């Protein structure tokens, strides 16, 4: 575990004005950029699990029941040096084709795809799809070395956490991703990562892995921004004062407060309850800076 220092010791000025993904003002599109239509033998198409989610049997069954050649579309594939084509979009349709005994399937062949580009392609195509879980996107994003997902991994590694649904893992990956990558300046992203690391560390040492839920993470992130970034308190003091909290009780009470007030977000009420618990029984209290 790395040393957890205060915000005042953290330098965000180095890359203050640098932006991510500057907009392209003029692009000349050529036909080859869109890929080549081609019928390919299904035996020559493979799926690399490193850049694909695991095959969902229920999804395969659903396609098979309502299989329609006109709705099949095109698989997106790219050739590799081993002589096979690797599917970056359409693995469930590919599996259906195999089970139906089809010998060839229509594809769009994208040449010169690297492993990273295959992973990026899959995530972009399925960016807003509920069919692909955040955990799948995380695994593929990390395998493909996509910077946004590597930031999430860095925060988890910093605190000694793993993504997943097992006993010793956490699953609130989507909210962590959004909290880190919502900014456009690299300096702001560094700040978001600073907050994420401390929020995760505090929760791990107060409510444990089960307590690292979406609402608890967001609420603690708000608390960290208001009080640790400003130097009004530190990580160890927060852990000491919140050591007896019950994440279920905090979440339940926050939900009740939100329903009774009919305003604000539940995350803010969670942060407010952290503030209440922190000040309980102490003469030196933090000022209320959380808006609810």
């Amino acid at each position: 575990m790395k040393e957890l220092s205060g915000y005042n010791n953290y330098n965000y000025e180095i890359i203050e004005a640098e932006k991510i993904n500057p907009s392209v003002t003029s692009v000349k599109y050529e036909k080859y950029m869109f890929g080549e239509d081609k019928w390919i033998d299904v035996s020559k198409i493979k799926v690399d699990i490193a850049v694909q989610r695991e095959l969902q049997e229920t999804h395969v069954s659903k396609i098979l029941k309502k299989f329609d050649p006109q709705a099949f579309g095109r698989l997106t594939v790219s050739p590799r040096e081993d002589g096979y084509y690797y599917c970056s979009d359409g693995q469930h349709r590919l599996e259906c084709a195999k089970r139906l005994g089809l010998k060839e399937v229509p594809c769009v062949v994208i040449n010169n795809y690297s492993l990273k580009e295959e992973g990026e392609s899959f995530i972009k195509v399925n960016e807003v799809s509920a069919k692909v879980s955040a955990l799948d996107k995380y695994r593929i994003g990390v395998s493909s070395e996509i910077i946004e997902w590597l930031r999430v991994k860095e925060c988890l590694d910093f605190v000694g956490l793993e993504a997943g649904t097992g006993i010793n893992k956490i699953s609130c990956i989507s909210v962590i991703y959004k909290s880190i990558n919502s900014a456009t300046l690299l300096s702001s992203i560094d700040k978001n990562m600073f907050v994420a690391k401390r929020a995760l560390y505090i929760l791990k040492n107060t409510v444990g892995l089960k307590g690292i839920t979406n609402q608890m993470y967001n609420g603690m992130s708000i608390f960290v921004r208001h009080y640790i970034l400003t130097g009004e308190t530190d990580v160890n003091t927060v852990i000491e004062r919140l050591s007896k909290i019950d994440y279920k009780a905090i979440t339940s009470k926050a939900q009740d407060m939100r329903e009774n007030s009919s305003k604000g977000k539940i995350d803010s009420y969670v942060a407010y309850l952290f503030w209440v618990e922190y000040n309980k029984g102490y003469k030196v209290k933090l000022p209320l800076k959380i808006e609810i």
Side-chain angles (χ1 to χ4, degrees):
M1 176 64 198
K2 299 178 182 178
E3 181 180 354
L4 289 168
S5 59
Y7 172 63
N8 292 334
N9 296 324
Y10 202 79
N11 183 7
Y12 295 119
E13 305 302 324
I14 299 175
I15 49 178
E16 182 178 5
E18 185 175 355
K19 291 186 177 181
I20 296 176
N21 296 328
S23 59
V24 179
T25 55
S26 61
V27 177
K28 184 178 180 180
Y29 295 105
E30 302 290 347
K31 287 184 178 180
Y32 75 88
M33 296 179 179
F34 296 87
E36 175 190 0
D37 283 333
K38 188 174 182 179
W39 283 82
I40 300 176
D41 191 314
V42 294
S43 67
K44 299 294 293 182
I45 304 174
K46 291 186 176 182
V47 175
D48 188 344
I49 194 61
V51 289
Q52 288 286 305
R53 58 174 166 164
E54 293 183 3
L55 193 73
Q56 306 293 314
E57 185 60 38
T58 54
H59 191 36
V60 174
S61 299
K62 184 177 180 180
I63 297 175
L64 283 172
K65 288 179 181 178
K66 298 181 179 181
F67 187 80
D68 181 353
Q70 294 185 359
F72 189 85
R74 301 288 186 271
L75 307 184
T76 302
V77 300
S78 57
R80 292 192 189 175
E81 293 180 354
D82 61 4
Y84 288 90
Y85 293 89
Y86 284 77
C87 181
S88 60
D89 182 51
Q91 67 158 322
H92 292 90
R93 284 172 287 150
L94 173 63
E95 180 63 22
C96 288
K98 290 179 179 179
R99 296 186 188 185
L100 289 170
L102 301 181
K103 300 300 182 181
E104 293 181 321
V105 288
C107 301
V108 174
V109 181
I110 307 294
N111 290 297
N112 301 319
Y113 252 18
S114 65
L115 184 65
K116 178 180 179 180
E117 288 170 329
E118 285 187 31
E120 288 176 335
S121 174
F122 176 83
I123 290 178
K124 286 178 180 178
V125 169
N126 295 282
E127 190 169 9
V128 296
S129 174
K131 297 177 183 177
V132 183
S133 71
L135 290 173
D136 279 327
K137 292 178 184 177
Y138 171 81
R139 177 180 55 78
I140 295 168
V142 170
S143 297
S144 306
E145 297 184 344
I146 298 172
I147 185 62
E148 290 83 0
W149 290 103
L150 289 178
R151 291 178 186 134
V152 177
K153 185 177 187 301
E154 179 182 332
C155 291
L156 297 185
D157 289 346
F158 186 88
V159 188
L161 296 172
E162 292 185 25
T165 56
I167 297 175
N168 297 316
K169 299 179 180 181
I170 64 170
S171 60
C172 59
I173 300 304
S174 180
V175 296
I176 298 174
Y177 176 91
K178 291 177 182 177
S179 72
I180 294 171
N181 296 298
S182 58
T184 55
L185 293 178
L186 286 176
S187 55
S188 297
I189 288 176
D190 278 352
K191 180 178 177 180
N192 291 347
M193 291 179 69
F194 177 93
V195 170
K197 291 173 182 178
R198 279 130 190 92
L200 289 168
Y201 184 72
I202 292 169
L203 291 174
K204 178 183 177 181
N205 288 277
T206 53
V207 295
L209 300 187
K210 289 185 178 180
I212 305 180
T213 63
N214 291 353
Q215 293 169 346
M216 291 291 284
Y217 170 79
N218 284 335
M220 183 54 70
S221 295
I222 294 171
F223 186 91
V224 169
R225 286 183 183 279
H226 283 306
Y227 300 113
I228 293 182
L229 287 184
T230 58
E232 294 184 63
T233 187
D234 57 74
V235 169
N236 292 331
T237 303
V238 174
I239 291 174
E240 178 185 350
R241 297 195 180 186
L242 301 184
S243 61
K244 297 181 180 180
I245 62 172
D246 181 331
Y247 77 93
K248 291 183 178 179
I250 290 284
T251 304
S252 178
K253 189 170 183 179
Q255 289 173 340
D256 290 340
M257 294 174 69
R258 169 64 182 83
E259 290 176 3
N260 292 331
S261 68
S262 297
K263 65 178 182 178
K265 295 183 178 180
I266 189 169
D267 300 336
S268 297
Y269 288 97
V270 171
Y272 169 79
L273 292 173
F274 288 148
W275 173 81
V276 171
E277 187 65 27
Y278 181 97
N279 285 334
K280 190 180 297 183
Y282 291 92
K283 292 183 179 180
V284 180
K285 302 180 183 296
L286 294 175
L288 179 59
K289 298 164 65 176
I290 299 166
E291 296 182 6
I292 55 175

